[in-house]
Amino acid sequence: ILKIILKKNKRKELNFNGEIIKQKDLPGLLTMILFSPEDLMLIKGSPLLRRRFIDIELSQISRIYYNELVQYNRLLLQRNNLLKKIRENKKLIPMLDTWDEQIAKTAAFIVEKRLRGIEKLSKLAQKIHYEISQKMEILNIRYNIHNYKNEALNSFDDLFNFYIKALSKYRDNDIYRGSTSIGPHRDDIDFFINDISLKSFGSQGQQRSSVLSLKLAELEFLKLETGEYPILLLDDVMSELDTRRRENLLSLLQDNNVQTLITATDINLFNAHPKNKFFKVEKGIVSE
């Protein structure tokens, strides 16, 4: 049993099977997917949203990935602090070699996992979107390594060598800016419909359908990786979807017995189904 205990004027407490745990121990204990109105901005919003999306996904199935991500952010902060000091004292430049090697190793690990994860998600989302679009649209999702346009980097060694060379190449620029210009913190994820950029040329309906396909692909991805469907949280998105997309979503969840918690302000957005349960929240009071 996982509990999150909120107390007034105190830090929240995480409790798993009666024992207090730290936030770093959460990944993998309970897999969940959150679909909120913010996710409808996933395609046309900032790269930060897309990086956070894949990081949350991979952290749920691999605590090692989560730990490497935390380590990378720590190394990045330390390297950036050193870059700022070097602007005042050039004698510190040789110290960058040690940081660059550590960052290259961690970056290579993270990006290799992201590449594999996006590849699997793309295949799943493509099948789902093909049906949602009435077999008219082929959705492709590709991972975009910042400042790299050549042949694919497929292995950890390829990625490590790329980052060692790139960190050296952009070192002078990084010192001038006081920040690291290359790495997984600068990467992005691209979406294409029939090989046309969804962000640049896709309609609002295509973008929303693609996000819905991606979220449904997340369900299948986590089931394949963990053996069971995650809990799905839909936070006020039903009114954002048109009738066809809403019905497709509800039918899939009901047919696959996906445990889902949905918030909405209009009960008429839902179909009649024997497994549905409705709760009303009014003035902080919950009633069935």
Side-chain angles (χ1 to χ4, degrees):
I1 299 174
L2 177 63
K3 295 181 180 179
I4 300 177
I5 303 169
L6 303 178
K7 298 180 180 179
K8 191 174 182 179
N9 300 325
K10 292 185 179 181
R11 296 181 64 181
K12 69 180 178 184
E13 181 179 298
L14 304 175
N15 190 297
F16 183 65
N17 289 339
E19 295 184 4
I20 296 176
I21 62 173
K22 297 180 180 179
Q23 186 162 333
K24 67 178 183 179
D25 299 321
L26 271 178
L29 291 180
L30 179 65
T31 55
M32 292 188 297
I33 294 174
L34 171 64
F35 189 9
S36 68
E38 181 186 65
D39 290 314
L40 295 171
M41 289 291 294
L42 193 60
I43 290 172
K44 60 182 179 180
S46 73
L48 177 63
L49 290 175
R50 293 182 283 278
R51 290 194 297 267
R52 186 173 67 183
F53 155 75
I54 189 62
D55 285 338
I56 291 174
E57 191 81 0
L58 296 175
S59 292
Q60 291 201 83
I61 62 173
S62 173
R63 188 170 295 180
I64 295 175
Y65 180 87
Y66 174 79
N67 291 337
E68 287 292 320
L69 192 63
V70 171
Q71 173 71 355
Y72 177 79
N73 290 327
R74 186 181 297 118
L75 291 169
L76 190 64
L77 178 62
Q78 292 168 329
R79 185 179 192 269
N80 289 344
N81 288 336
L82 178 58
L83 290 169
K84 294 180 178 68
K85 292 178 181 178
I86 288 173
R87 287 188 300 190
E88 306 298 327
N89 183 2
K90 301 298 184 183
K91 292 182 180 180
L92 298 176
I93 288 178
M95 293 179 64
L96 280 172
D97 292 338
T98 300
W99 292 111
D100 287 1
E101 183 173 357
Q102 293 184 65
I103 282 185
K105 286 180 180 178
T106 310
F109 177 90
I110 290 170
V111 173
E112 184 184 23
K113 298 301 181 185
R114 285 182 180 178
L115 285 166
R116 302 291 174 263
I118 290 297
E119 183 180 8
K120 292 178 181 179
L121 276 170
S122 182
K123 290 178 180 179
L124 292 168
Q126 188 175 98
K127 292 179 182 179
I128 293 168
H129 190 81
Y130 189 62
E131 297 300 325
I132 287 179
S133 66
Q134 299 176 330
K135 301 182 179 180
M136 296 178 63
E137 296 176 350
I138 297 176
L139 172 66
N140 276 302
I141 308 171
R142 300 170 194 161
Y143 189 79
N144 181 8
I145 299 176
H146 184 65
N147 276 352
Y148 187 81
K149 305 296 182 184
N150 299 326
E151 72 279 359
L153 297 170
N154 294 313
S155 69
F156 174 86
D157 289 340
D158 288 343
L159 288 161
F160 174 74
N161 291 328
F162 163 71
Y163 282 117
I164 284 291
K165 293 176 182 177
L167 288 166
S168 176
K169 178 180 178 181
Y170 296 107
R171 177 174 288 187
D172 289 343
N173 182 58
D174 288 355
I175 292 172
Y176 175 77
R177 295 174 57 213
S179 63
T180 303
S181 59
I182 194 78
H185 65 292
R186 300 295 306 278
D187 293 350
D188 202 353
I189 298 170
D190 297 326
F191 295 80
F192 299 87
I193 290 289
N194 298 338
D195 288 328
I196 297 173
S197 171
L198 193 55
K199 182 178 182 179
S200 300
F201 303 105
S203 67
Q204 186 175 18
Q206 286 177 318
Q207 291 177 352
R208 292 191 173 200
S209 290
S210 298
V211 172
L212 177 57
S213 299
L214 181 61
K215 285 294 171 180
L216 297 179
E218 277 190 84
L219 286 172
E220 298 301 327
F221 176 75
L222 287 176
K223 184 177 187 294
L224 286 172
E225 296 293 329
T226 66
E228 60 183 14
Y229 280 114
I231 296 172
L232 179 62
L233 309 177
L234 301 180
D235 183 16
D236 197 28
V237 295
M238 302 305 286
S239 60
E240 300 285 342
L241 302 173
D242 62 33
T243 302
R244 180 172 60 85
R245 295 187 185 95
R246 192 162 57 239
E247 289 177 352
N248 284 342
L249 175 60
L250 291 173
S251 295
L252 183 139
L253 298 177
Q254 290 160 349
D255 291 345
N256 290 283
N257 294 316
V258 179
Q259 184 177 353
T260 310
L261 300 176
I262 309 174
T263 63
T265 56
D266 184 359
I267 199 171
N268 295 312
L269 294 172
F270 303 94
N271 57 16
H273 194 280
K275 292 185 178 180
N276 286 352
K277 283 190 176 182
F278 294 91
F279 298 86
K280 181 173 68 173
V281 182
E282 187 173 12
K283 297 180 179 179
I285 305 298
V286 182
S287 58
E288 185 174 353

